[in-house]
Amino acid sequence: MDHTHRFVEDLVGQCRVPPGTSVSMGRDFDPAGGDGTLSRSEGQPQLEEVIQVIDDYQDRLSAAATRGILLVIQALDAGGKDSTIKHVMRGLNPQGVEVHSFKEPTDEELRHDFLWRCQRVAPERGRIGIFNRSHYEDVLVVRVHSELLRRQGGSDRAGTTRIWARRFQEINDWEHHLVANDIAVVKVLLNVSKAEQARRFIDRIDRPEKNWKFAPSDIHERRYWDDYQRALGEMLSHSSTEWAPWHVVPADRKWFARLATAAILAQTLIDIDPQYPKVDASVRRQMATDREALVAELHGSSEH
Ligand code: AMP
Ligand code: MG
């Protein structure tokens, strides 16, 4: 295994939430953490190498078209989802990747089951789909503000007992279904601290070109910080599975969050190890004949 592959494997291992463990955000994860040895200046060339790995493997993923990847990215406001996606995408051929952002559900979306809008845009084999927020909003924001459940009719009405346990089961089953159908599912939580969120909000207020990113409702949501931390802990404890594990990425330092997220995507590609399709013997013979004809044509035309 070369140096970059080993680096990637170590980093991903540090972030992975072991399936079946019960975790708590405050106790188990440090938003300011990192790999402990790496400095920012070392992180930059390391990111370039990881992006090179992604680039190389994605080409094979597209060519093989037998497996796809769904990369789910969750974070609280100002957790760095947009900028992380931007950086990780640098290593991807735009033709083979799609990003879907999940906002407050539309009326149409609310008339369907909560997974409907995600299933509709799940990636096909050969492609990488990135979810900027995801079906997990339905066990996060909807759990923190359970009155939102009332907009989701039928059996999902508020008051239904065990709704969250059921939703985790449904999410795990759906992700299992995707994996069984050759779509790898890999999940990243960008873990930002409350203080860092405040600094980033201030920055959004101070810089006119960032004002658009700031919503007054962000301050309102911040009041529910502890509720969100609890909901995140529950999410990790109930939906980090063998087939679709969660990774908690310390996100107070943006460069580290980018590097770790890129590494997680790289490791998923390395595990899949897609191969260029092999051409069979008869096609190879035909190609040899075609090649001769093309070469002859070039020589022929250069004589005129
Ligand atoms: P942003 O990502 O900043 O554009 O904000 C999108 C907003 O949509 C966030 O406040 C999310 O919490 C909210 N959102 C996303 N999915 C849902 C959902 N299923 N139910 C309610 N709100 C949601
Ligand atoms: Mg926002």
Side-chain angles (χ1 to χ4, degrees):
M1 207 195 304
D2 77 6
H3 166 260
T4 305
H5 284 215
R6 199 168 317 114
F7 171 82
V8 162
E9 197 175 82
D10 284 350
L11 190 49
V12 174
Q14 288 168 35
C15 298
R16 185 162 290 164
V17 179
T21 51
S22 182
V23 296
S24 138
M25 292 306 292
R27 184 191 66 208
D28 296 315
F29 307 105
D30 177 10
D35 109 318
T37 54
L38 207 66
S39 69
R40 188 194 176 113
S41 59
E42 291 162 335
Q44 191 52 40
Q46 203 54 259
L47 177 61
E48 296 311 316
E49 281 178 33
V50 175
I51 281 178
Q52 195 50 53
V53 171
I54 293 175
D55 183 36
D56 171 35
Y57 276 80
Q58 186 207 5
D59 201 45
R60 291 196 258 141
L61 187 85
S62 296
T66 53
R67 309 272 303 269
I69 296 177
L70 172 61
L71 175 63
V72 169
I73 302 196
Q74 282 291 153
L76 298 186
D77 294 314
K81 294 185 297 297
D82 294 337
S83 77
T84 300
I85 290 170
K86 183 169 109 182
H87 281 266
V88 171
M89 294 274 292
R90 282 200 291 130
L92 295 170
N93 176 346
Q95 297 211 73
V97 64
E98 61 213 53
V99 182
H100 297 283
S101 300
F102 294 92
K103 310 281 182 187
E104 275 190 47
T106 63
D107 288 345
E108 186 189 26
E109 287 167 350
L110 284 171
R111 286 197 298 272
H112 290 83
D113 69 276
F114 75 97
L115 290 172
W116 178 77
R117 64 178 184 163
C118 297
Q119 174 65 47
R120 294 175 85 197
V121 294
E124 60 187 56
R125 298 185 189 100
R127 296 176 67 83
I128 298 175
I130 300 178
F131 281 5
N132 181 346
R133 302 188 191 267
S134 65
H135 44 302
Y136 285 99
E137 291 293 321
D138 285 282
V139 291
L140 294 171
V141 63
V142 179
R143 188 168 189 175
V144 169
H145 302 286
S146 54
E147 66 275 11
L148 289 174
L149 272 174
R150 252 178 267 124
R151 298 187 308 170
Q152 304 178 339
S155 58
D156 280 351
R157 269 190 301 273
T160 307
T161 51
R162 294 183 49 77
I163 178 151
W164 308 115
R166 205 185 77 213
R167 283 200 169 183
F168 286 128
Q169 186 67 50
E170 288 161 349
I171 287 172
N172 291 343
D173 288 347
W174 179 61
E175 292 176 354
H176 192 266
H177 165 77
L178 291 177
V179 172
N181 284 272
D182 306 315
I183 306 300
V185 180
V186 59
K187 303 176 299 205
V188 174
L189 171 64
L190 300 175
N191 184 24
V192 76
S193 68
K194 197 173 184 188
E196 180 61 20
Q197 188 194 54
R199 282 190 282 274
R200 291 182 189 175
F201 282 162
I202 292 169
D203 189 53
R204 289 178 180 187
I205 292 166
D206 286 350
R207 290 165 61 179
E209 75 276 18
K210 288 215 173 180
N211 284 172
W212 67 277
K213 280 208 143 211
F214 182 77
S217 64
D218 291 345
I219 295 297
H220 178 76
E221 284 310 293
R222 189 175 154 78
R223 290 203 218 115
Y224 296 90
W225 184 268
D226 293 341
D227 296 333
Y228 273 107
Q229 297 300 306
R230 259 194 302 279
L232 287 168
E234 285 279 296
M235 175 191 83
L236 298 171
S237 302
H238 291 101
S239 62
S240 196
T241 54
E242 297 290 350
W243 56 90
W246 270 107
H247 301 80
V248 178
V249 166
D252 276 7
R253 292 176 301 160
K254 283 193 161 186
W255 67 266
F256 186 81
R258 289 165 193 162
L259 177 58
T261 306
I264 289 160
L265 178 59
Q267 185 64 55
T268 309
L269 284 158
I270 291 168
D271 290 341
I272 292 175
D273 194 22
Q275 303 294 325
Y276 289 111
K278 290 243 178 351
V279 177
D280 72 36
S282 67
V283 176
R284 259 203 319 276
R285 276 195 297 278
Q286 183 61 47
M287 288 199 302
T289 312
D290 291 343
R291 185 178 194 285
E292 270 174 39
L294 288 166
V295 170
E297 183 189 311
L298 281 178
H299 289 318
S301 63
S302 65
E303 282 162 16
H304 294 289

